[in-house]
């Protein structure tokens, strides 16, 4: 799915370690978009960038971007019958940098 919109808020980078000892970094951001051209109210979703993508895109509040996202669902913990939604950020194109 591809959406066009703007970066509303860029959140601080968080750090962690996987079970295998590999370090990771994540930067979340709030993305605002209009689902239909006639919509009055802007919708928003939280997306994230992982590791080297943080520096690659270097998003700033107010940037106008096109983002490709993937939607999924996962059971956690396995066999629990409890599910959560997963929104994955794919390719981002910065259409216009914030002034």
């Amino acid at each position: 799915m591809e959406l066009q919109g703007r970066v509303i808020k860029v959140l601080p980078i968080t750090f962690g370690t996987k079970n295998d000892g590999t370090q990771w970094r994540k930067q979340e951001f709030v993305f605002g978009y209009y689902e239909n051209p006639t919509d009055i109210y802007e919708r928003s979703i939280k997306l994230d960038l992982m590791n080297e993508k943080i520096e690659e895109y270097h998003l700033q509040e107010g940037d106008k971007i096109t983002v490709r996202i993937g939607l999924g669902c996962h059971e956690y913990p396995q066999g629990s019958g409890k599910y959560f939604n997963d929104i994955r950020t794919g390719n981002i194109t910065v259409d216009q940098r914030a002034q």
Side-chain angles (χ1 to χ4, degrees):
M1 175 184 306
E2 191 172 274
L3 299 170
Q4 290 182 316
R6 68 185 180 101
V7 177
I8 295 173
K9 182 81 173 168
V10 176
L11 303 170
I13 297 172
T14 56
F15 303 87
T17 306
K18 294 181 184 179
N19 289 339
D20 66 3
T22 307
Q23 300 284 321
W24 56 264
R25 295 175 300 132
K26 176 172 74 171
Q27 184 169 46
E28 298 174 322
F29 66 98
V30 179
F31 173 72
Y33 68 99
Y34 292 93
E35 194 168 1
N36 297 301
T38 58
D39 283 352
I40 297 171
Y41 300 106
E42 182 178 48
R43 297 180 181 271
S44 60
I45 54 175
K46 182 184 64 68
L47 299 172
D48 56 71
L49 298 173
M50 296 296 295
N51 300 317
E52 70 280 347
K53 298 291 183 183
I54 297 169
E55 287 81 27
E56 180 180 340
Y57 296 118
H58 189 66
L59 294 179
Q60 301 171 49
E61 293 175 13
D63 284 352
K64 293 184 182 188
I65 63 173
T66 300
V67 63
R68 180 173 290 271
I69 61 171
L71 304 175
C73 177
H74 300 281
E75 184 180 22
Y76 184 81
Q78 295 245 338
S80 67
K82 296 180 182 179
Y83 293 85
F84 68 94
N85 290 323
D86 182 31
I87 303 172
R88 298 277 174 135
T89 309
N91 191 313
I92 295 175
T93 303
V94 178
D95 301 318
Q96 181 180 354
R97 288 285 180 193
Q99 298 296 328

